[in-house]
Amino acid sequence: MSLPRTIYNPIIGDKVTFLETAEETGGERVTVEVELAPEGKNGLHYHTTYLEHFEVVKGELGLQVGKEILYLRRGGTADVALYVRHLFFNPSKKEPVTFRVTISPAGGFEDTLRIAYGLAADGRVDKKGIPLKFSHLAVLLDIGETYLPFMPYWFQRRLFRYLGKRARRKGVMKELEPYYKRTETPVGASV
């Protein structure tokens, strides 16, 4: 059985539909359509191996790219380059915003998203969306290639790689498989 095309994160307040998966594009990209709840947002972060392209479908999207804050409406686009700190948010207090994001190359983005949203849907994260088990966080940061702006990159890369490998040796990927591997009955994350 295939994985669900749509996943939901009750912490961030968004629904994500996979328009193109890594498998379908041969790893070239992942394209998702996001419906972000009023005042929903993610945290400031950056990536070193994949680019992001945003396009607004409906509503208004707030996007911080570096130090610049953008407000994009239907048809508006923005690109986020490697190593650039960014986050997205819905500035509306009443209306959701719908936008598309293309990540290229796909890397581990899709698995990371599926795992993170599955853990959130199953109540296995705190109120900020951080996994309750440190080993889950270690794996997500390692395979998701996501870095935090308040720590040096070299330190995070070494730390996340080490902790991710350690978690894998302890069988954490097997524990997380229901969220990202095709199974007879997918768990969590589906809407």
Side-chain angles (χ1 to χ4, degrees):
M1 182 177 222
S2 63
L3 291 166
R5 294 299 278 200
T6 300
I7 57 178
Y8 176 70
N9 185 325
I11 305 301
I12 297 174
D14 68 351
K15 178 172 67 170
V16 172
T17 300
F18 290 90
L19 303 177
E20 295 180 301
T21 65
E23 182 180 21
E24 293 165 349
T25 66
E28 265 188 55
R29 68 189 170 277
V30 172
T31 302
V32 295
E33 186 166 279
V34 179
E35 183 180 302
L36 184 60
E39 299 183 312
K41 68 176 188 173
N42 69 352
L44 192 63
H45 63 283
Y46 65 95
H47 311 284
T48 61
T49 59
Y50 60 82
L51 306 169
E52 292 179 86
H53 173 76
F54 291 81
E55 180 179 357
V56 178
V57 175
K58 180 182 175 186
E60 182 178 43
L61 176 67
L63 187 63
Q64 179 178 340
V65 181
K67 293 181 180 180
E68 186 176 10
I69 306 288
L70 307 170
Y71 291 92
L72 306 172
R73 293 188 177 275
R74 185 177 181 184
T77 64
D79 293 307
V80 179
L82 301 179
Y83 294 93
V84 175
R85 296 171 182 188
H86 61 283
L87 62 80
F88 60 79
F89 61 96
N90 183 348
S92 173
K93 294 181 188 291
K94 296 181 180 179
E95 300 295 323
V97 60
T98 303
F99 60 98
R100 292 187 178 140
V101 184
T102 299
I103 288 81
S104 55
F109 178 82
E110 182 178 346
D111 290 348
T112 301
L113 205 60
R114 288 184 181 281
I115 293 168
Y117 280 46
L119 291 171
D122 287 349
R124 298 173 74 183
V125 299
D126 67 17
K127 62 183 179 181
K128 292 184 179 179
I130 307 297
L132 296 175
K133 289 181 77 172
F134 186 74
S135 58
H136 293 169
L137 176 62
V139 166
L140 285 174
L141 291 171
D142 185 36
I143 66 172
E145 197 275 311
T146 297
Y147 300 98
L148 309 171
F150 57 84
M151 294 169 72
Y153 165 75
W154 63 268
F155 177 75
Q156 290 182 76
R157 184 66 202 130
R158 287 182 185 156
L159 178 65
F160 299 158
R161 184 176 293 154
Y162 168 75
L163 293 173
K165 284 181 182 178
R166 186 170 175 219
R168 282 184 190 82
R169 281 194 307 271
K170 291 184 175 193
V172 171
M173 293 309 290
K174 186 74 173 164
E175 180 183 340
L176 297 173
E177 275 184 6
Y179 297 118
Y180 73 95
K181 288 245 181 181
R182 285 175 175 70
T183 62
E184 288 301 311
T185 35
V187 295
S190 64
V191 180

